[in-house]
Amino acid sequence: MGYLDNYIDKIRNEGKNGFADSIEKTAKQIGEKRLSQFDYASHQMGLLFGNIQSGKTGHIFGVMCEAVDLGFPFFMFLTTDSTTLQEQTYDRAKNYLTDFVVCNENEEQKFRNHGDKPVVVVVKKNYRVLKAWANRFRNTNMLLGNPLFIIDDEADAASLNTKVNQDKVSSINKYLQDIIDTAQSSIYLQMTGTPQSLLLQSSISGWHPLFVDYFEPGNAYLGGNFFFPKDKTPDFVRFIDGEPASNLARDVVIRHLVVTAQLFLTGHEVSNCLIHTSRLQSEHNRTAREISNVLDELSESSDDPKLKAEMKKEYDTLAPVKDPKQSFEDIYQLVQKILSKKEFNIVKLNSSSADTSEDYANGCNFIVGGTNLGRGVTFSQLHTFYYARTSKHPQADTMWQHNRMFGYDRDKGLISLFITHELYNLFSEINETNNAIVEQARKGEKITISYPDGLNPTRENVLDKSLLNILPGNSNHFPSNPHNNTFDEISKMVEKFDGTEAPQEVTLNLIIKILDKFEDDNFNFAGYKSMIQSEMHKASLATGMLMVRRNRNITYGMRALLSPNDWAATNAFTDKFVLTLYQVNGDNPELNWPEGKKLWVPNIKLPGTSNIYMID
């Protein structure tokens, strides 16, 4: 049996057949499309992205095993600069990659003495650690003639050059490049659930992925499409706009206690509630006090008829699908016991807290925190989620990493999400764009990213501002010298338009087909078509507007194309792409058109609902 077969068998032996199928599909796909085509002479950067908490590490272990089966012997696994996460990954690698020699970041000699087995070293993205391993690789001949396979977990965190706009290189980015350069050839596989900053890297930076692959989550996964579906708001969402903090704390506590009782009565040993309201530690302390006050109050009056009525109201909303629903009396009695014996924990997770993952591994827990509740942290049996963190300049990737309620062990009938309308709408926008990115990746298309004004894709300091184009909504764009070798074909496509009509609603497919007929060395037609395709991935039957105007005397080199009347007519459509086609009398020598013949000139107006991000 091969390395991949052995690894898949381990997953199946744990009863995770669906997960095993998903891993095998991903590994075989990457092996066939990417690894088997490797030239053993170049340094290739690729991206494998999935969903938040959807089993990315399990999938990448499968890719590593497939890589060994295809002849790759040396691996480096990069984790974020967290000793806990590095140790967790190291332990997981030892447990699952039993056919490998697995080394921690201090085991240089073990790495050198790997024998005839494949070897992987698991290291933190810490500049001292990376510098040390760059020197170790440089001082050994092991990589001479052999490729190095680097897996960068959470590649959008810390790896990128944070000084790109200062014409400098940040330390971690520098030493990662040094490690790449020690090998004759390499595959550097970026891995994340939030690829925005990676997709917006410039090609000259060396950190833009040459290929992009997406892996599907398993069937039991609850993620963005469950929590933030496009056309409806789920019943488990509880909007908290204007709700007094004390009332909200009581609602959250009672809900979590009822869910906890249901879980404990069906054999589960942990039940977590996550409260993420701010990055400020003072707010964490205040929120923890509010939760503590409510629990104290309920503990002193656990047999209060009002409490029982509130519990019954919550009980009636439970609809568990993984375990039988328990009787209300059993749940009520267990909640009374939890309260009277204070069998619950309030856990604070922030940079000054001494609490750790062990504090919420068992029992009934209320977890309060901020930034530490994001990337890489997992919470078992998390069914009650209270999110109210706001930002003056929200970033899509950071916000999405806060979605710790995504995962496999959730019961969809027990979930509740306490959130404001504004934040829910922002998450819905992010989810819609994520889905569009996935569809573009599946089809191998150039990926474009769009977000509403005020929501940034990622942090600014990792994007090269000299090459990043931010195209604001409602803006107009047209080529200065479009080539019309297909003038007659374009004319045929719009022959039914007499040139006087108001903008007409048409399929976005038609707009793309028309734009296919144009060329201009200085106008990114491919990028604009990709934007429109991205919109189609959000809604397959999405439409735009088309307006045709004929016999226009436009001078070559004009700064604006549309007449005031046409500009007003197209601006009436704020939520759609609008294509205006001007038939220009380029055969009039007074207009100075270079080719001296009639031509079509397209004007593309972007939807006003989004800003669109493109990288040169």
Side-chain angles (χ1 to χ4, degrees):
M1 292 179 67
Y3 286 82
L4 179 60
D5 291 334
N6 288 341
Y7 173 62
I8 293 297
D9 280 351
K10 290 184 180 67
I11 304 298
R12 294 196 190 283
N13 289 338
E14 295 178 351
K16 302 175 181 178
N17 287 322
F19 191 38
D21 291 341
S22 178
I23 292 172
E24 187 171 29
K25 179 181 177 181
T26 299
K28 291 291 187 182
Q29 174 182 307
I30 299 293
E32 180 180 351
K33 290 172 59 179
R34 314 299 181 189
L35 306 184
S36 65
Q37 309 300 316
F38 186 63
D39 60 9
Y40 288 85
S42 60
H43 297 283
Q44 298 184 5
M45 183 79 62
L47 169 62
L48 176 63
F49 75 99
N51 298 274
I52 299 295
Q53 299 194 146
S54 64
K56 293 189 295 298
T57 303
H59 280 79
I60 203 63
F61 283 174
V63 172
M64 291 168 63
C65 291
E66 175 72 357
V68 175
D69 287 333
L70 292 172
F72 289 78
F74 296 104
F75 297 82
M76 171 173 271
F77 198 116
L78 304 168
T79 75
T80 55
D81 190 11
S82 162
T83 300
T84 300
L85 288 176
Q86 186 266 339
E87 290 175 350
Q88 286 177 354
T89 304
Y90 172 68
D91 289 340
R92 287 186 66 181
K94 285 200 302 181
N95 290 336
Y96 284 100
L97 301 179
T98 52
D99 296 327
F100 286 62
V101 173
V102 181
C103 309
N104 66 33
E105 57 194 34
N106 300 312
E107 295 181 315
E108 176 187 1
Q109 201 58 45
K110 185 178 178 182
F111 187 88
R112 287 174 176 270
N113 297 336
H114 66 92
D116 58 358
K117 287 187 175 183
V119 58
V120 55
V121 55
V122 181
V123 304
K124 298 189 297 292
K125 283 184 278 189
N126 174 285
Y127 79 92
R128 292 187 181 88
V129 174
L130 297 176
K131 181 180 180 180
W133 277 95
N135 289 331
R136 290 164 184 165
F137 287 155
R138 191 176 293 111
N139 294 330
T140 179
N141 289 327
M142 286 191 301
L143 300 182
L144 186 63
N146 290 306
L148 177 62
F149 198 124
I150 303 171
I151 300 99
D152 189 348
D153 191 13
E154 306 294 356
D156 55 320
S159 303
L160 299 175
N161 184 11
T162 58
K163 298 182 178 180
V164 63
N165 295 300
Q166 305 169 36
D167 292 326
K168 298 179 181 178
V169 181
S170 54
S171 296
I172 290 176
N173 185 256
K174 174 187 181 301
Y175 290 120
L176 288 175
Q177 187 62 59
D178 284 352
I179 287 171
I180 293 172
D181 292 342
T182 61
Q184 174 175 300
S185 62
S186 67
I187 289 181
Y188 191 113
L189 192 56
Q190 302 165 324
M191 186 171 64
T192 186
T194 47
Q196 290 88 337
S197 62
L198 303 172
L199 295 171
L200 292 174
Q201 292 298 299
S202 66
S203 57
I204 64 173
S205 72
W207 294 87
H208 182 85
L210 298 176
F211 62 85
V212 178
D213 289 298
Y214 168 77
F215 69 85
E216 301 281 353
N219 293 332
Y221 178 74
L222 299 183
N225 290 334
F226 174 76
F227 286 91
F228 309 105
K230 180 176 176 58
D231 298 321
K232 63 178 181 179
T233 301
D235 292 338
F236 59 75
V237 176
R238 305 193 182 189
F239 291 116
I240 60 175
D241 305 73
E243 185 79 12
S246 57
N247 292 358
L248 182 55
R250 183 181 177 95
D251 291 343
V252 169
V253 168
I254 293 174
R255 171 69 187 189
H256 182 52
L257 289 172
V258 172
V259 169
T260 296
Q262 164 67 27
L263 289 171
F264 286 2
L265 288 168
T266 51
H268 299 279
E269 296 181 351
V270 61
S271 175
N272 286 315
C273 166
L274 193 60
I275 303 168
H276 190 162
T277 60
S278 174
R279 65 179 181 83
L280 300 176
Q281 294 182 15
S282 58
E283 282 296 302
H284 306 162
N285 295 333
R286 183 190 63 79
T287 302
R289 285 196 302 271
E290 287 176 350
I291 297 298
S292 178
N293 290 339
V294 170
L295 286 165
D296 287 343
E297 178 187 339
L298 297 181
S299 298
E300 293 171 1
S301 56
S302 60
D303 57 353
D304 184 354
K306 178 184 177 183
L307 173 59
K308 186 172 185 178
E310 290 174 289
M311 287 179 53
K312 181 61 166 63
K313 183 178 178 181
E314 291 295 343
Y315 173 83
D316 290 341
T317 68
L318 300 186
V321 296
K322 292 187 174 182
D323 297 297
K325 185 174 182 177
Q326 302 300 293
S327 72
F328 175 68
E329 284 304 318
D330 286 344
I331 284 180
Y332 177 58
Q333 290 177 16
L334 182 51
V335 170
Q336 285 184 305
K337 175 178 176 291
I338 291 171
L339 288 171
S340 62
K341 294 190 174 183
K342 297 187 181 296
E343 295 175 341
F344 49 76
N345 301 304
I346 299 175
V347 181
K348 284 190 289 186
L349 292 183
N350 54 43
S351 58
S352 65
S353 170
D355 293 336
T356 68
S357 59
E358 295 180 359
D359 295 301
Y360 54 84
N362 294 283
C364 171
N365 307 300
F366 296 86
I367 305 161
V368 181
T371 303
N372 284 25
L373 302 184
R375 190 183 298 273
V377 185
T378 60
F379 303 93
S380 298
Q381 296 296 330
L382 171 58
H383 290 95
T384 307
F385 190 69
Y386 169 21
Y387 187 88
R389 177 169 172 172
T390 58
S391 172
K392 292 181 179 179
H393 305 287
Q395 296 170 185
D397 54 359
T398 299
M399 284 187 65
W400 203 245
Q401 286 286 352
H402 292 166
N403 283 316
R404 296 297 105 190
M405 69 275 203
F406 294 1
Y408 285 99
D409 72 346
R410 292 28 171 159
D411 187 319
K412 64 177 65 177
L414 301 180
I415 285 172
S416 56
L417 169 60
F418 295 79
I419 195 169
T420 64
H421 279 87
E422 179 183 6
L423 286 170
Y424 187 84
N425 290 336
L426 276 177
F427 277 122
S428 297
E429 291 276 3
I430 297 170
N431 186 58
E432 201 170 318
T433 296
N434 287 352
N435 287 338
I437 292 172
V438 167
E439 286 304 310
Q440 291 171 87
R442 281 186 179 131
K443 296 183 178 181
E445 298 171 352
K446 177 180 174 63
I447 294 176
T448 60
I449 298 173
S450 63
Y451 290 110
D453 193 29
L455 177 62
N456 300 317
T458 188
R459 58 204 187 280
E460 292 183 353
N461 67 340
V462 299
L463 302 180
D464 189 336
K465 295 179 181 178
S466 67
L467 298 175
L468 179 67
N469 285 327
I470 304 176
L471 307 180
N474 267 336
S475 57
N476 287 274
H477 305 266
F478 64 93
S480 60
N481 188 27
H483 299 301
N484 272 198
N485 296 329
T486 55
F487 178 85
D488 291 339
E489 295 177 27
I490 298 171
S491 300
K492 183 71 173 176
M493 295 179 78
V494 296
E495 65 180 356
K496 296 294 186 182
F497 291 76
D498 65 17
T500 64
E501 302 95 346
Q504 300 296 304
E505 188 171 20
V506 299
T507 68
L508 288 180
N509 260 326
L510 174 62
I511 292 178
I512 290 175
K513 294 297 184 184
I514 292 173
L515 293 178
D516 281 340
K517 305 297 183 183
F518 289 95
E519 295 179 6
D520 187 324
D521 294 339
N522 298 312
F523 190 79
N524 189 1
F525 275 107
Y528 287 96
K529 288 186 288 186
S530 180
M531 295 178 203
I532 297 171
Q533 287 168 335
S534 176
E535 193 68 21
M536 291 174 63
H537 291 319
K538 295 179 183 179
S540 59
L541 299 180
T543 59
M545 307 304 295
L546 174 62
M547 184 170 72
V548 178
R549 294 291 182 259
R550 302 179 185 276
N551 195 35
R552 292 291 166 133
N553 291 314
I554 306 292
T555 302
Y556 177 73
M558 63 288 181
R559 295 182 63 185
L561 180 67
L562 301 187
S563 69
N565 287 341
D566 292 339
W567 184 85
T570 58
N571 272 356
F573 302 94
T574 59
D575 61 344
K576 293 180 180 293
F577 284 94
V578 182
L579 174 63
T580 302
L581 287 178
Y582 269 18
Q583 189 189 62
V584 174
N585 297 324
D587 54 349
N588 183 342
E590 295 181 1
L591 302 179
N592 299 320
W593 285 89
E595 297 183 14
K597 60 184 180 181
K598 288 185 181 292
L599 73 159
W600 289 99
V601 181
N603 182 95
I604 305 168
K605 189 186 79 69
L606 304 182
T609 50
S610 298
N611 295 332
I612 296 174
Y613 298 81
M614 297 174 60
I615 192 72
D616 290 340

